[in-house]
Amino acid sequence: MKIVIGEGSCGIAAGAEKVRQALLKKDLNGAELTIAGCIGMCYLEPIVDIYEEGKEVMRLVRVSEADADKIADYASTGDESKIADLLVSDEDKQFLDKQTRIALRRCGIINPEEIEDFINADGYTALKKAVTEMTSEEVIETIKTSGLAGRGGAGFPTWFKWNAARQSDGEEKYLICNADEGDPGAFMDRAVIESDPHNLIEGMLIGAYAIGAKNAVVYVRAEYPLAIKRLERAIKQAEAAGYLGDNIFGTDFSCHMSIKAGAGAFVCGEETALIESLEGHRGMPRLKPPFPAQSGYWRKPSNINNVETFANVSWIINNGGEAFAAMGTEGSKGTKVFAVTGKVKRSGLVEIPMGKTLRDVIFDIGGGIKDGKEFKAVQMGGPSGGCIPASLIDTVIDYKALGATGAIMGSGGMVVMDESTCMVGMAKFFLDFTAKESCGKCIHCRIGTKRMLEILKRITEGEGKDGDVELLEELCYGIKDGALCGLGQTAPNPVLTTIKYFRDEYDAHINEKKCPAGECSALIKYGIDADKCKGCTLCAKNCPVGAISGSVKNAHIIDTDKCIKCGKCFTVCRFGAVEKN
């Protein structure tokens, strides 16, 4: 028997490490106790999987330290009743059963800290095939056949970038992995590195072989300490085993790999800003052309792809480009990983073939909206993306279809919103992020995003005026046309899409000084319906500023001058007497 504890960042945050320490103190009847990364069911953490003869026989969810005795009893007796209350439900099993996993195929299954686990799961077989049986041209042709597009957001053909770097003059070339995942609500790349770091290394080595690079660099944000720790360990293991370094598999192909921990600037997700940061400069984008394939890191030919892109490469080499291309749509091949967060019942990592719909992800896999509320919108592509309304829930997930809505695929962030979400407030949230993350190099982005944010703040505070929406649109198109890099060019997308699909909410904020979702505190007024109030005093006891008065069994009153609009009274009232207008 093998007991596997999911110790990705999500699992550890939920208490997985404490569960493991508790199990270490128990008699497990000779069962092996080990770890894995994130299986993707983040909403059920901590997760403990039990294996018999190499096969998973049961999954335990929301496990606590107190459950260690139950697991130990099961290990000793084999009595499933001991852990029956911890077993994953049939409904929750659908979360994984309805996915198709390629980039995530080993995540949550193997021990990310042991190279032997990776090798036993066909690890480094694709690298061996590439460097001993294929030319660099054949590798690139296979990637071309697969239709693999960059998963970092732009969706640019991977083979084209590789081929451009390979054909560039110069002996010294660099292959770079962009692991600077900065979108709010996105954690796909982090999970891959934490859960299957050797898969990233193998994909990068194949890419390095294809373009003729002898040096590879992973640029990862310093806020991912566990990912960095496991990747550092994996690099050392790969070097010791001969998969990384000089004369790999006895060939003349040599490649060394290093890690650069970035300071966490969103703009460094843009490839030329990332290169500037790698060189020790402030992360600010360069003018293009020249493109990195001709003049990149240290002005040498360079290729940059993100983590998920590289995570698909070894599977494609082993299974053929045609197998990958068989999944997806005409213009968007293969699978895509999404980090599904927000007001959805089952949040976590989802990998599906392109061509599925938003409904498939949010309702079929994600289980629908929490607390029985209505689905309102989904933000696709993070701060660079846009809000897609409920009326477009059957939109196909591919680059073209999502682009037609005004959103983008992005790196894979998917933030689900319900009826209680203010769309003007959501636009303000993302603009606040991009305005702060602007590097300041170009005026359109540096000044334009701030002016837009000021207008949005004014609207949500009840000070909006006629012409504000039109002014926002004018600024949006000016920034899109004039910004230097992708951060500025896409920053207006959340505003443009919320205006397009939720113009009525902007009008209500401006003309009626009302937030239809009841989320903008400056536009909310709390009152108590005297007919419904039972005089239980619960609201008065929980008011932090003493704004509620009244005696037991008599209707209470809110002093609106004292009220700070914290909403505590609304939350604690058991009779629906507190009203929010």
Side-chain angles (χ1 to χ4, degrees):
M1 180 187 294
K2 183 166 70 171
I3 300 172
V4 182
I5 303 174
E7 289 200 17
S9 287
C10 51
I12 293 171
E17 176 64 20
K18 294 178 180 178
V19 172
R20 182 159 66 92
Q21 293 302 320
L23 285 171
L24 284 171
K25 299 174 183 177
K26 304 297 179 182
D27 179 7
L28 299 177
N29 196 32
E32 177 189 355
L33 183 63
T34 186
I35 66 167
C38 175
I39 193 69
M41 307 173 82
C42 305
Y43 69 106
L44 294 176
E45 296 285 3
I47 294 173
V48 175
D49 290 333
I50 297 176
Y51 286 75
E52 297 276 5
E53 298 180 353
K55 293 184 179 180
E56 179 201 319
V57 294
M58 58 186 66
R59 172 161 291 144
L60 314 181
V61 299
R62 298 193 178 100
V63 181
S64 69
E65 295 173 78
D67 296 319
D69 286 328
K70 298 179 183 178
I71 297 172
D73 286 345
Y74 170 76
S76 297
T77 66
D79 183 358
E80 292 186 16
S81 66
K82 303 289 185 181
I83 52 174
D85 60 322
L86 301 175
L87 290 172
V88 65
S89 69
D90 290 338
E91 184 179 354
D92 284 320
K93 286 179 182 178
Q94 297 178 38
F95 182 85
L96 290 179
D97 291 345
K98 295 185 177 182
Q99 297 186 39
T100 301
R101 295 198 154 201
I102 294 178
L104 302 179
R105 62 192 181 278
R106 300 187 193 92
C107 294
I109 298 173
I110 66 168
N111 185 336
E113 297 184 357
E114 300 299 336
I115 190 173
E116 290 79 10
D117 273 25
F118 180 74
I119 292 171
N120 291 336
D122 294 324
Y124 291 116
T125 56
L127 175 62
K128 183 177 182 179
K129 179 180 179 180
V131 302
T132 64
E133 301 176 23
M134 303 171 73
T135 64
S136 59
E137 292 86 354
E138 287 173 335
V139 170
I140 292 174
E141 186 63 29
T142 300
I143 298 301
K144 180 179 181 180
T145 301
S146 75
L148 176 64
R151 297 305 198 236
F156 198 76
T158 301
W159 79 269
F160 191 92
K161 293 178 73 172
W162 286 17
N163 196 49
R166 184 182 66 84
Q167 293 180 342
S168 294
D169 295 331
E171 287 294 317
E172 189 176 0
K173 297 179 181 180
Y174 292 92
L175 183 113
I176 301 167
C177 174
N178 178 357
D180 190 58
E181 186 175 52
D183 291 10
F187 49 93
M188 303 77 60
D189 292 350
R190 187 201 74 205
V192 170
I193 299 175
E194 289 179 357
S195 306
D196 195 7
H198 286 282
N199 188 30
L200 172 60
I201 294 171
E202 184 174 22
M204 290 182 67
L205 286 171
I206 294 169
Y209 173 73
I211 73 170
K214 296 180 181 178
N215 291 284
V217 184
V218 181
Y219 185 95
V220 59
R221 53 181 43 232
E223 293 95 331
Y224 286 177
L226 183 61
I228 293 173
K229 175 186 173 184
R230 288 181 176 167
L231 185 58
E232 285 175 341
R233 180 184 175 92
I235 288 173
K236 290 177 182 178
Q237 290 174 338
E239 289 172 339
Y243 298 117
L244 181 61
D246 296 327
N247 305 115
I248 298 171
F249 287 111
T251 68
D252 59 1
F253 170 59
S254 300
C255 186
H256 297 266
M257 189 174 293
S258 60
I259 299 173
K260 165 69 175 179
F266 183 62
V267 72
C268 287
E270 197 280 334
E271 58 183 8
T272 61
L274 184 154
I275 290 170
E276 285 288 301
S277 180
L278 269 179
E279 293 178 357
H281 307 139
R282 182 176 178 182
M284 302 176 82
R286 298 174 180 174
L287 285 169
K288 293 185 288 188
F291 294 95
Q294 287 77 45
S295 178
Y297 189 35
W298 302 123
R299 299 303 191 269
K300 304 294 183 181
S302 306
N303 181 88
I304 302 178
N305 291 112
N306 86 321
V307 173
E308 187 186 339
T309 308
F310 286 122
N312 285 293
V313 169
S314 62
W315 190 95
I316 292 170
I317 295 299
N318 272 335
N319 294 275
E322 295 84 357
F324 192 82
M327 295 178 280
T329 64
E330 183 62 31
S332 301
K333 303 296 186 182
T335 62
K336 179 73 189 78
V337 180
F338 293 95
V340 182
T341 60
K343 303 298 180 66
V344 67
K345 289 179 181 177
R346 305 179 198 141
S347 58
L349 289 172
V350 172
E351 185 172 2
I352 54 163
M354 300 278 200
K356 293 287 188 179
T357 66
L358 292 173
R359 185 188 298 275
D360 291 332
V361 175
I362 297 169
F363 285 90
D364 205 17
I365 297 175
I369 309 304
K370 289 180 179 178
D371 304 322
K373 294 188 176 180
E374 293 293 319
F375 170 63
K376 187 172 187 178
V378 58
Q379 174 76 13
M380 294 288 297
S384 301
C387 286
I388 301 175
S391 60
L392 299 179
I393 186 65
D394 291 309
T395 298
V396 170
I397 296 174
D398 69 11
Y399 291 101
K400 184 177 180 180
L402 290 177
T405 69
I408 62 173
M409 182 84 70
S411 60
M414 188 181 287
V415 183
V416 180
M417 292 162 269
D418 66 17
E419 61 198 79
S420 66
T421 303
C422 172
M423 303 313 296
V424 184
M426 183 58 66
K428 182 182 72 172
F429 169 80
F430 284 113
L431 247 293
D432 180 65
F433 179 86
T434 47
K436 288 174 179 174
E437 292 292 335
S438 172
C439 74
K441 185 169 185 175
C442 65
I443 293 173
H444 290 79
C445 182
R446 181 178 73 242
I447 305 299
T449 54
K450 285 183 171 60
R451 297 293 85 87
M452 288 176 63
L453 181 59
E454 289 169 357
I455 295 169
L456 288 167
K457 284 182 176 178
R458 197 172 69 237
I459 292 173
T460 57
E461 290 170 1
E463 298 175 7
K465 54 189 179 183
D466 287 343
D468 274 350
V469 174
E470 290 71 23
L471 180 55
L472 277 172
E473 290 178 315
E474 183 180 345
L475 284 167
C476 283
Y477 292 117
I479 295 169
K480 288 179 78 72
D481 291 341
L484 176 62
C485 81
L487 186 152
Q489 293 162 7
T490 58
N493 286 347
V495 178
L496 286 172
T497 52
T498 51
I499 290 174
K500 179 179 180 180
Y501 298 117
F502 301 96
R503 175 64 186 261
D504 58 324
E505 292 200 25
Y506 281 85
D507 291 340
H509 281 73
I510 294 169
N511 301 326
E512 302 172 33
K513 308 303 179 188
K514 182 178 179 180
C515 175
E519 195 173 54
C520 298
S521 59
L523 302 179
I524 296 173
K525 290 183 180 179
Y526 287 95
I528 296 177
D529 186 330
D531 293 331
K532 293 181 180 179
C533 182
K534 306 298 182 182
C536 70
T537 75
L538 199 59
C539 58
K541 290 176 180 177
N542 283 274
C543 180
V545 293
I548 302 176
S549 59
S551 57
V552 177
K553 295 185 178 180
N554 289 304
H556 284 46
I557 300 172
I558 297 176
D559 185 338
T560 55
D561 291 332
K562 288 184 180 180
C563 179
I564 59 172
K565 303 175 182 179
C566 66
K568 190 67 176 177
C569 56
F570 184 81
T571 303
V572 300
C573 182
R574 300 170 181 172
F575 308 104
V578 179
E579 298 176 334
K580 182 167 64 172
N581 302 304

